[in-house]
Amino acid sequence: MELSFAPMEGITYAAYRRLHAEMFPGVDRYCAPFIAPDSAGNFKAGSLRDVLPEENTGVRLVPQLLVNAAAPFLAVARELQALGYTEVNLNTGCPSGTVVAKHKGAGMLGDPAALDACLAEIFARCPLRVSVKTRLGLHSAAEFPQLLEVYRRYPLARLTVHVRHRDGMYRSEPDREAFAAALDCPFPVEYNGNLFTPAELAALQARYPKLDAAMLGRGAVTNPALFRALRGGAPLSAGELKEFHDRLTAAYLVGGLAPNYTVSRMKELWFYQRCLFPGGERAVNAVLKTKSLPDYQAAVAALFRQVPLDASQGFFDPA
Ligand SMILES: Cc1cc2nc3c(=O)[nH]c(=O)nc-3n(C[C@H](O)[C@H](O)[C@H](O)COP(=O)(O)O)c2cc1C
């Protein structure tokens, strides 16, 4: 089974990916969080830095674009080609209200004819292979067959399917039934959505024996050793997680991130990693309440000292 690390805006940027690839090798591909160019193809310097090859040593990376038209996609794709990339991903899944209102991300799914026209222009002129990361629809999985008809017209490098519609955001029940329709596509298809434990992957494989690719997001951010565990390797240890944590904190600081921003960035990770410390709510909340770097580091050290790590459950939503 090929396994990809999902793009996670706010978390899986270059420093995270480099360290992850070094400490937890075996991820077949990392998809970068989206670059969002304006209509002229201009985008933030930080987004470019994130995909520079020298920032991604040891990482097999596919950059992703969030657009509502072919022109900015093609403009950025040419820049990515100059950097040496051979594949670029189109985001047709982002559910954010402001993104969807601009007909970007999952907003592209509401008008299959416009999506078709956009893909026709992209595939006619893009110098790179193009993959797509989609949802099942905008309001309903019943839209998926029509969307698949559109995708099937193009030689996609890969279609990753997050098995929810946009309105389901990240919380609705994953619709594994609807995903089945994608399996006879003439290009590689990758499953995405709520794979948090080896048992969940095994159940999916039993259901779809021909499926050979899956993408992991929140489960992998919760447990950086999840890829290894899914392949039958050792579960995450507390020592490994602490080392990963400490080296990531150090990498942000060395990279020039101010100490208080480093604390904020690390606290975002704890929304996920708290799942590894069942019964440790009090110690995790103490971490989340800190503001200064020394306080933060002391609270994290206390958490690791006081609460045993248990990686068996994977990510779970607090709500
Ligand atoms: C905080 C956060 C940021 C995300 N950023 C992106 C992104 O930049 N591009 C994208 O295609 N999907 C993004 N996603 C969606 C994930 O890549 C993935 O499709 C989703 O989390 C479902 O997979 P999972 O159940 O394994 O987490 C994001 C999701 C979350 C929760």
Side-chain angles (χ1 to χ4, degrees):
M1 174 75 76
E2 278 193 30
L3 298 174
S4 311
F5 204 138
M8 297 285 284
E9 190 200 6
I11 300 174
T12 61
Y13 293 123
Y16 182 101
R17 296 190 298 260
R18 265 195 324 264
L19 179 63
H20 187 268
E22 185 191 327
M23 281 191 67
F24 301 98
V27 177
D28 291 299
R29 126 183 13 84
Y30 293 77
C31 186
F34 61 75
I35 297 173
D38 65 16
S39 55
N42 301 309
F43 56 95
K44 290 184 192 152
S47 295
L48 177 64
R49 205 175 321 118
D50 188 55
V51 297
L52 288 177
E54 58 267 34
E55 296 287 331
N56 289 282
T57 44
V59 174
R60 195 168 155 211
L61 187 67
V62 178
Q64 184 188 66
L65 303 183
L66 183 76
V67 295
N68 58 9
F73 187 98
L74 292 164
V76 183
R78 281 182 211 110
E79 291 188 51
L80 294 171
Q81 182 189 31
L83 292 176
Y85 286 102
T86 56
E87 179 183 335
V88 58
N89 184 267
L90 172 67
N91 177 325
T92 63
C94 181
S96 141
T98 46
V99 167
V100 170
K102 290 184 211 154
H103 306 288
K104 297 180 181 180
M108 293 187 94
L109 305 179
D111 186 346
L115 175 67
D116 193 8
C118 185
L119 289 174
E121 200 177 336
I122 285 174
F123 276 88
R125 294 171 50 206
C126 187
L128 307 182
R129 300 173 75 222
V130 179
S131 53
V132 175
K133 181 164 177 286
T134 190
R135 286 193 180 230
L136 299 171
L138 183 58
H139 304 301
S140 154
E143 299 161 33
F144 194 45
Q146 198 190 347
L147 292 167
L148 276 176
E149 233 174 79
V150 173
Y151 292 135
R152 277 201 185 94
R153 289 183 197 135
Y154 303 95
L156 270 59
R158 167 178 309 272
L159 180 67
T160 305
V161 186
H162 178 189
V163 295
R164 293 186 168 91
H165 51 73
R166 180 265 165 182
D167 294 346
M169 302 302 279
Y170 293 104
R171 288 209 165 132
S172 64
E173 197 56 34
D175 191 340
R176 297 194 167 129
E177 193 71 46
F179 171 72
L183 283 168
D184 63 349
C185 282
F187 38 70
V189 169
E190 182 172 64
Y191 173 94
N192 171 238
N194 286 40
L195 287 180
F196 303 141
T197 62
E200 284 162 349
L201 181 66
L204 186 70
Q205 281 181 295
R207 180 164 184 174
Y208 298 121
K210 284 195 189 140
L211 179 68
D212 60 5
M215 176 180 267
L216 314 168
R218 292 165 296 176
V221 165
T222 300
N223 173 0
L226 182 60
F227 297 89
R228 185 178 73 203
L230 293 182
R231 293 197 160 110
L236 178 71
S237 73
E240 276 181 314
L241 185 70
K242 184 69 166 56
E243 182 187 342
F244 183 69
H245 170 278
D246 291 351
R247 289 180 66 184
L248 188 59
T249 308
Y252 287 148
L253 294 167
V254 168
L257 199 63
N260 54 335
Y261 284 112
T262 298
V263 170
S264 308
R265 181 77 67 87
M266 294 305 296
K267 285 199 302 196
E268 283 190 38
L269 256 186
W270 282 105
F271 172 73
Y272 301 94
Q273 295 184 353
R274 72 190 159 77
C275 305
L276 299 169
F277 297 92
E281 290 78 12
R282 191 189 268 230
V284 170
N285 285 338
V287 169
L288 296 178
K289 277 197 196 119
T290 59
K291 294 209 165 61
S292 74
L293 185 61
D295 287 355
Y296 170 78
Q297 284 169 323
V300 169
L303 168 64
F304 274 95
R305 243 187 350 262
Q306 292 164 8
V307 189
L309 179 144
D310 174 2
S312 61
Q313 188 173 351
F315 174 77
F316 58 90
D317 218 306

Coordinates of all heavy atoms in Angstrom, one line a residue, residues 12-68:
T12 N 2.0 21.0 8.5 CA 3.0 20.2 7.8 C 3.8 21.0 6.8 O 3.9 20.6 5.6 CB 2.3 19.0 7.0 OG1 1.4 19.5 6.1 CG2 1.6 18.1 8.0
Y13 N 4.4 22.0 7.3 CA 5.3 22.9 6.4 C 6.7 22.2 6.4 O 7.0 21.2 7.0 CB 5.4 24.3 6.9 CG 4.0 25.0 6.8 CD1 3.4 25.5 7.9 CD2 3.4 25.1 5.5 CE1 2.1 26.2 7.7 CE2 2.2 25.7 5.4 CZ 1.6 26.2 6.5 OH 0.3 26.9 6.3
A14 N 7.6 22.9 5.6 CA 8.9 22.2 5.3 C 9.7 21.7 6.5 O 10.2 20.6 6.5 CB 9.8 23.2 4.5
A15 N 9.8 22.5 7.6 CA 10.6 22.1 8.7 C 10.0 20.8 9.3 O 10.7 19.9 9.7 CB 10.7 23.2 9.8
Y16 N 8.7 20.8 9.4 CA 8.0 19.6 9.9 C 8.2 18.4 9.0 O 8.6 17.3 9.5 CB 6.5 19.9 10.0 CG 5.7 18.7 10.6 CD1 5.2 18.7 11.9 CD2 5.3 17.6 9.8 CE1 4.5 17.7 12.4 CE2 4.6 16.5 10.3 CZ 4.2 16.6 11.6 OH 3.5 15.5 12.1
R17 N 8.1 18.6 7.7 CA 8.2 17.4 6.8 C 9.7 16.9 6.8 O 9.8 15.7 6.8 CB 7.9 17.9 5.3 CG 6.5 18.3 5.1 CD 6.2 18.6 3.7 NE 6.9 19.6 3.0 CZ 6.5 20.8 2.8 NH1 5.3 21.2 3.2 NH2 7.2 21.7 2.2
R18 N 10.6 17.8 6.8 CA 12.0 17.3 6.8 C 12.3 16.5 8.0 O 12.9 15.4 7.9 CB 13.0 18.6 6.9 CG 13.5 19.0 5.5 CD 14.7 20.0 5.7 NE 14.7 20.8 6.8 CZ 14.2 22.1 6.8 NH1 13.8 22.7 5.7 NH2 14.3 22.8 7.9
L19 N 11.9 17.0 9.2 CA 12.2 16.2 10.4 C 11.4 14.9 10.4 O 11.9 13.8 10.8 CB 11.8 17.1 11.6 CG 12.0 16.4 13.0 CD1 13.5 16.0 13.2 CD2 11.5 17.2 14.1
H20 N 10.2 15.0 9.9 CA 9.3 13.7 9.9 C 10.0 12.7 9.0 O 10.1 11.5 9.4 CB 7.9 14.0 9.5 CG 7.0 12.8 9.6 ND1 6.8 12.0 8.5 CD2 6.3 12.3 10.6 CE1 6.0 11.0 8.9 NE2 5.7 11.2 10.2
A21 N 10.4 13.1 7.8 CA 11.0 12.2 6.9 C 12.3 11.6 7.4 O 12.6 10.4 7.2 CB 11.3 12.9 5.5
E22 N 13.0 12.4 8.2 CA 14.3 11.9 8.8 C 14.0 10.9 9.9 O 14.6 9.8 10.0 CB 15.1 13.0 9.3 CG 16.5 12.6 9.8 CD 17.2 13.7 10.6 OE1 17.0 14.9 10.3 OE2 17.9 13.4 11.6
M23 N 13.1 11.2 10.8 CA 12.8 10.4 12.0 C 11.9 9.2 11.7 O 11.9 8.2 12.4 CB 12.3 11.2 13.1 CG 13.3 12.0 13.9 SD 12.7 12.7 15.4 CE 12.4 11.2 16.4
F24 N 11.0 9.4 10.8 CA 10.0 8.4 10.5 C 9.9 8.1 9.0 O 8.9 8.4 8.3 CB 8.6 8.8 11.0 CG 8.6 9.1 12.5 CD1 8.7 10.4 12.9 CD2 8.5 8.1 13.4 CE1 8.7 10.7 14.3 CE2 8.5 8.3 14.8 CZ 8.6 9.6 15.2
P25 N 11.0 7.5 8.4 CA 11.0 7.3 7.0 C 10.0 6.3 6.5 O 9.4 5.6 7.3 CB 12.5 6.7 6.8 CG 12.9 6.2 8.1 CD 12.2 7.0 9.1
G26 N 9.7 6.3 5.2 CA 8.8 5.4 4.7 C 7.5 6.0 4.2 O 6.6 5.2 3.8
V27 N 7.4 7.3 4.1 CA 6.2 7.9 3.5 C 6.5 8.0 2.0 O 7.5 8.5 1.6 CB 6.0 9.3 4.1 CG1 4.8 10.0 3.5 CG2 5.8 9.2 5.6
D28 N 5.5 7.6 1.2 CA 5.8 7.6 -0.2 C 5.8 9.0 -0.8 O 6.4 9.2 -1.8 CB 4.8 6.7 -0.9 CG 5.0 5.2 -0.6 OD1 6.1 4.7 -0.9 OD2 4.2 4.6 0.1
R29 N 4.9 9.8 -0.2 CA 4.8 11.2 -0.8 C 4.2 12.1 0.3 O 3.3 11.7 1.0 CB 4.1 11.1 -2.1 CG 2.9 11.9 -2.4 CD 2.2 11.6 -3.7 NE 2.7 10.4 -4.4 CZ 2.1 9.1 -4.2 NH1 1.2 8.9 -3.3 NH2 2.6 8.1 -4.9
Y30 N 4.7 13.3 0.3 CA 4.1 14.4 1.1 C 3.4 15.4 0.2 O 4.0 15.8 -0.8 CB 5.2 15.1 1.9 CG 5.9 14.3 3.0 CD1 6.9 13.4 2.6 CD2 5.6 14.5 4.3 CE1 7.5 12.7 3.6 CE2 6.3 13.8 5.3 CZ 7.2 12.8 5.0 OH 7.9 12.1 5.9
C31 N 2.2 15.7 0.5 CA 1.5 16.8 -0.3 C 1.7 18.1 0.5 O 1.3 18.1 1.7 CB 0.1 16.4 -0.6 SG -0.8 17.6 -1.7
A32 N 2.2 19.1 -0.1 CA 2.4 20.4 0.7 C 1.0 21.1 0.9 O 0.1 21.0 0.0 CB 3.3 21.3 -0.1
P33 N 0.9 21.8 2.0 CA -0.3 22.6 2.2 C -0.4 23.6 1.0 O 0.6 24.0 0.4 CB -0.1 23.4 3.5 CG 0.9 22.5 4.2 CD 1.8 21.9 3.1
F34 N -1.7 24.0 0.7 CA -1.9 24.7 -0.6 C -1.2 26.1 -0.7 O -1.0 26.8 0.3 CB -3.4 24.9 -0.8 CG -4.1 25.8 0.2 CD1 -3.9 27.1 0.3 CD2 -4.9 25.2 1.1 CE1 -4.6 27.9 1.2 CE2 -5.6 25.9 2.1 CZ -5.4 27.3 2.1
I35 N -0.8 26.4 -1.9 CA -0.3 27.7 -2.3 C -1.5 28.3 -3.0 O -2.2 27.7 -3.8 CB 0.8 27.6 -3.4 CG1 2.1 26.9 -2.8 CG2 1.2 29.0 -3.9 CD1 3.2 26.7 -3.8
A36 N -1.8 29.6 -2.6 CA -3.1 30.2 -3.1 C -2.7 31.5 -3.9 O -2.5 32.6 -3.3 CB -4.0 30.6 -2.0
P37 N -2.4 31.3 -5.2 CA -2.0 32.5 -6.0 C -3.2 33.4 -6.3 O -4.3 32.9 -6.2 CB -1.5 31.9 -7.3 CG -2.2 30.6 -7.4 CD -2.5 30.1 -6.0
D38 N -2.9 34.7 -6.5 CA -4.0 35.6 -7.0 C -4.3 35.3 -8.4 O -3.6 34.4 -9.0 CB -3.7 37.0 -6.6 CG -2.5 37.6 -7.4 OD1 -2.1 36.9 -8.4 OD2 -2.0 38.6 -7.0
S39 N -5.2 36.1 -9.0 CA -5.6 35.7 -10.4 C -4.4 35.9 -11.4 O -4.4 35.3 -12.5 CB -6.8 36.6 -10.8 OG -6.5 37.9 -10.7
A40 N -3.4 36.7 -11.0 CA -2.2 36.9 -11.9 C -1.2 35.9 -11.6 O -0.1 35.9 -12.2 CB -1.7 38.3 -11.7
G41 N -1.4 35.0 -10.7 CA -0.4 34.0 -10.4 C 0.6 34.4 -9.3 O 1.6 33.7 -9.1
N42 N 0.4 35.6 -8.7 CA 1.3 36.0 -7.6 C 0.9 35.3 -6.3 O -0.3 35.1 -6.0 CB 1.3 37.5 -7.4 CG 1.7 38.2 -8.7 OD1 2.7 37.9 -9.3 ND2 0.8 39.1 -9.1
F43 N 1.9 35.0 -5.5 CA 1.6 34.4 -4.2 C 2.7 34.7 -3.2 O 3.7 35.3 -3.5 CB 1.4 32.8 -4.3 CG 2.6 32.1 -4.9 CD1 3.6 31.6 -4.1 CD2 2.8 32.0 -6.3 CE1 4.7 30.9 -4.6 CE2 3.9 31.4 -6.8 CZ 4.8 30.8 -6.0
K44 N 2.4 34.4 -1.9 CA 3.3 34.8 -0.8 C 4.7 34.2 -0.9 O 4.8 33.0 -1.3 CB 2.7 34.3 0.5 CG 1.4 35.1 0.9 CD 1.0 34.6 2.3 CE -0.4 35.0 2.6 NZ -1.1 34.1 3.5
A45 N 5.7 35.0 -0.5 CA 7.0 34.5 -0.5 C 7.2 33.3 0.3 O 7.9 32.4 0.0 CB 8.0 35.6 -0.1
G46 N 6.5 33.3 1.5 CA 6.6 32.1 2.4 C 6.1 30.9 1.7 O 6.6 29.8 2.0
S47 N 5.1 31.0 0.9 CA 4.6 29.7 0.2 C 5.7 29.2 -0.8 O 5.8 28.0 -0.9 CB 3.3 30.1 -0.6 OG 2.3 30.4 0.2
L48 N 6.4 30.1 -1.4 CA 7.5 29.7 -2.3 C 8.6 29.0 -1.5 O 9.1 27.9 -1.9 CB 8.0 30.9 -3.1 CG 9.2 30.5 -4.0 CD1 8.7 29.6 -5.1 CD2 9.8 31.8 -4.7
R49 N 9.0 29.7 -0.4 CA 10.0 29.1 0.4 C 9.7 27.7 0.9 O 10.5 26.8 0.9 CB 10.2 30.0 1.7 CG 11.6 29.9 2.2 CD 11.9 30.9 3.4 NE 11.3 32.2 3.2 CZ 10.4 32.7 4.0 NH1 9.9 32.1 5.0 NH2 9.9 34.0 3.7
D50 N 8.4 27.5 1.2 CA 8.0 26.2 1.7 C 8.2 25.0 0.7 O 8.4 23.9 1.1 CB 6.5 26.2 2.1 CG 6.0 25.0 2.8 OD1 6.7 24.6 3.8 OD2 5.1 24.3 2.3
V51 N 8.2 25.4 -0.6 CA 8.4 24.3 -1.6 C 9.8 24.3 -2.2 O 10.1 23.5 -3.2 CB 7.3 24.3 -2.7 CG1 6.0 24.0 -2.0 CG2 7.3 25.6 -3.5
L52 N 10.7 25.2 -1.8 CA 12.0 25.2 -2.4 C 12.7 23.9 -2.1 O 12.6 23.3 -1.0 CB 12.9 26.3 -1.8 CG 12.5 27.8 -2.2 CD1 13.4 28.7 -1.4 CD2 12.6 28.0 -3.7
P53 N 13.3 23.3 -3.2 CA 14.0 22.0 -3.0 C 14.9 21.9 -1.8 O 15.0 20.9 -1.1 CB 14.7 21.7 -4.3 CG 13.9 22.5 -5.3 CD 13.4 23.7 -4.6
E54 N 15.7 23.0 -1.6 CA 16.7 23.0 -0.5 C 16.0 22.9 0.9 O 16.6 22.6 1.9 CB 17.7 24.1 -0.6 CG 17.1 25.5 -0.6 CD 16.8 26.0 -2.0 OE1 16.4 25.2 -2.9 OE2 16.9 27.3 -2.2
E55 N 14.7 23.3 0.9 CA 14.0 23.3 2.2 C 13.3 21.9 2.4 O 12.7 21.6 3.4 CB 12.9 24.3 2.2 CG 13.3 25.8 2.2 CD 14.0 26.2 3.5 OE1 13.6 25.7 4.6 OE2 14.9 27.1 3.5
N56 N 13.4 21.1 1.4 CA 12.7 19.8 1.4 C 13.6 18.6 1.1 O 13.2 17.6 0.5 CB 11.5 19.8 0.4 CG 10.4 20.8 0.9 OD1 9.6 20.4 1.7 ND2 10.4 22.0 0.3
T57 N 14.8 18.7 1.6 CA 15.8 17.6 1.4 C 15.2 16.3 2.0 O 14.8 16.3 3.2 CB 17.2 17.9 1.9 OG1 17.0 18.5 3.2 CG2 17.9 18.9 1.1
G58 N 15.3 15.2 1.3 CA 14.8 13.9 1.8 C 13.3 13.7 1.8 O 12.8 12.7 2.3
V59 N 12.6 14.7 1.2 CA 11.2 14.6 1.2 C 10.7 14.5 -0.3 O 11.1 15.3 -1.1 CB 10.6 15.9 1.8 CG1 9.0 15.9 1.7 CG2 11.0 16.0 3.3
R60 N 9.8 13.5 -0.6 CA 9.3 13.4 -1.9 C 8.0 14.3 -1.9 O 7.0 13.9 -1.3 CB 9.0 12.0 -2.3 CG 8.7 11.8 -3.7 CD 8.7 10.3 -4.1 NE 7.9 10.2 -5.3 CZ 7.2 9.2 -5.6 NH1 7.2 8.1 -4.9 NH2 6.5 9.1 -6.8
L61 N 8.0 15.5 -2.4 CA 7.0 16.5 -2.2 C 6.2 16.7 -3.5 O 6.7 16.8 -4.6 CB 7.6 17.8 -1.8 CG 6.7 18.9 -1.4 CD1 6.0 18.5 -0.1 CD2 7.4 20.2 -1.1
V62 N 4.9 16.9 -3.3 CA 4.0 17.3 -4.4 C 3.4 18.6 -3.9 O 2.6 18.6 -3.0 CB 2.9 16.3 -4.7 CG1 2.0 16.8 -5.8 CG2 3.5 15.0 -5.2
P63 N 3.7 19.8 -4.6 CA 3.1 21.0 -4.2 C 1.6 21.0 -4.6 O 1.2 20.4 -5.6 CB 3.9 22.1 -5.0 CG 5.1 21.4 -5.5 CD 4.7 19.9 -5.6
Q64 N 0.8 21.8 -3.9 CA -0.6 21.9 -4.2 C -1.1 23.3 -4.4 O -0.6 24.3 -3.8 CB -1.4 21.4 -3.0 CG -2.9 21.3 -3.2 CD -3.7 20.9 -2.0 OE1 -3.7 21.7 -1.0 NE2 -4.3 19.8 -2.0
L65 N -2.0 23.5 -5.4 CA -2.5 24.9 -5.7 C -4.0 25.0 -5.4 O -4.8 24.0 -5.7 CB -2.2 25.2 -7.1 CG -0.8 25.1 -7.6 CD1 -0.6 25.5 -9.0 CD2 0.1 26.0 -6.7
L66 N -4.4 26.1 -4.9 CA -5.8 26.4 -4.6 C -6.2 27.6 -5.5 O -5.7 28.7 -5.3 CB -6.0 26.8 -3.2 CG -7.3 27.1 -2.6 CD1 -8.1 25.8 -2.4 CD2 -7.3 27.9 -1.3
V67 N -7.0 27.3 -6.6 CA -7.3 28.3 -7.6 C -8.8 28.2 -8.0 O -9.4 27.2 -7.7 CB -6.4 28.2 -8.9 CG1 -4.9 28.4 -8.6 CG2 -6.6 26.8 -9.5
N68 N -9.3 29.2 -8.8 CA -10.6 29.0 -9.4 C -10.5 29.1 -10.9 O -11.6 29.3 -11.5 CB -11.6 29.9 -8.7 CG -11.2 31.3 -8.9 OD1 -10.3 31.7 -9.6 ND2 -12.0 32.2 -8.2

